[in-house]
Amino acid sequence: MAISLSLYDFFAHLVPGSVFLIAIMYGFQETWMKSPAFTTFTTAQLIGLGLVAYVLGYLIDPLGNRWYRFFRKNTPKFGLSEEAAVALQKNHPNIVINPRAMSWYVLLAYIKRQNLPMAQEIERFNVTHIMLRGISFSLISLAGVCCFKIFTASPAWPQALLSLVCMGAAYLLMQEAIKFRIWFYQSIYQSVIALELKPEQLPVGYRK
């Protein structure tokens, strides 16, 4: 379980925090590049930057969540969990899912009690979602830095081009984050169904 938590922290916080740290350093590159301490990075400095990126990943996570909700402002009242349930029922009409009857985290807790490895596999989708939305927010922050530099840099077109690339990448990554979030909810419902499924309900058998 300790390994699983460390991987969760790495993907969900360290990677987005690193991208956000790059955005900060890029914004103040004229200052820190002149410092003799940053002409070459030592092992201690790299470890320190990693710790800073890790903390930044935690700090920007609420902002990344708000950025994610900006893309999902037209989501149904009960969120993507309901949207995922509707999509799953369309593909499997014989399955009845009521996402409003019980919260998804209660269902996930039930799966953890019944089958912990299965729950850990499900949480990979959520880890990827958090990581992608964090990177997306960091990239849009970097795009903002580039927009500011357009007025100070000469020539300005490289900054404008980099800003457009960052905005495009941020949009695409957020779309991927939404997709992984839907898969996360669907995997919860599918796993609960699989745990409660009886052998006679399986659509597979032998000819007599």
Side-chain angles (χ1 to χ4, degrees):
M1 189 64 180
I3 296 176
S4 175
L5 286 174
S6 64
L7 288 176
Y8 178 91
D9 288 337
F10 176 79
F11 286 111
H13 298 104
L14 182 60
V15 177
S18 299
V19 179
F20 192 78
L21 181 60
I22 290 172
I24 295 175
M25 295 178 71
Y26 184 70
F28 295 94
Q29 63 174 335
E30 291 83 2
T31 302
W32 67 265
M33 286 185 69
K34 294 178 182 178
S35 174
F38 289 99
T39 52
T40 56
F41 288 101
T42 63
T43 302
Q45 287 175 328
L46 290 174
I47 294 174
L49 288 173
L51 292 174
V52 171
Y54 182 78
V55 173
L56 280 174
Y58 273 102
L59 293 177
I60 67 171
D61 185 60
L63 299 176
N65 190 39
R66 287 181 177 272
W67 174 240
Y68 156 73
R69 291 184 180 279
F70 172 78
F71 282 82
R72 300 302 302 170
K73 55 186 177 183
N74 295 324
T75 303
K77 179 181 178 181
F78 287 84
L80 279 182
S81 59
E82 182 176 355
E83 188 174 316
V86 171
L88 185 61
Q89 287 182 117
K90 284 183 178 179
N91 295 329
H92 305 280
N94 59 321
I95 294 176
V96 178
I97 303 174
N98 184 7
R100 304 184 186 187
M102 188 174 293
S103 300
W104 62 265
Y105 46 83
V106 176
L107 295 176
L108 184 59
Y110 170 77
I111 297 171
K112 286 182 179 180
R113 189 180 68 181
Q114 299 295 322
N115 192 321
L116 182 58
M118 180 184 290
Q120 291 174 342
E121 288 295 319
I122 294 171
E123 287 183 329
R124 287 187 181 184
F125 291 111
N126 196 38
V127 168
T128 306
H129 159 77
I130 296 173
M131 179 187 69
L132 290 176
R133 82 183 184 197
I135 297 175
S136 176
F137 174 78
S138 299
L139 285 175
I140 206 65
S141 301
L142 180 56
V145 172
C146 294
C147 289
F148 177 79
K149 282 180 171 287
I150 290 175
F151 301 99
T152 59
S154 180
W157 68 264
Q159 301 297 330
L161 180 60
L162 182 57
S163 177
L164 290 174
V165 170
C166 289
M167 285 189 286
Y171 175 80
L172 293 176
L173 285 174
M174 184 55 71
Q175 297 305 312
E176 288 298 303
I178 293 171
K179 181 177 69 175
F180 273 93
R181 188 68 170 180
I182 292 175
W183 288 352
F184 169 67
Y185 290 130
Q186 287 184 342
S187 61
I188 289 176
Y189 297 132
Q190 290 169 341
S191 298
V192 171
I193 292 170
L195 289 172
E196 296 301 312
L197 201 62
K198 298 178 181 179
E200 57 269 19
Q201 294 176 304
L202 294 172
V204 179
Y206 294 96
R207 293 182 179 178
K208 295 181 179 180

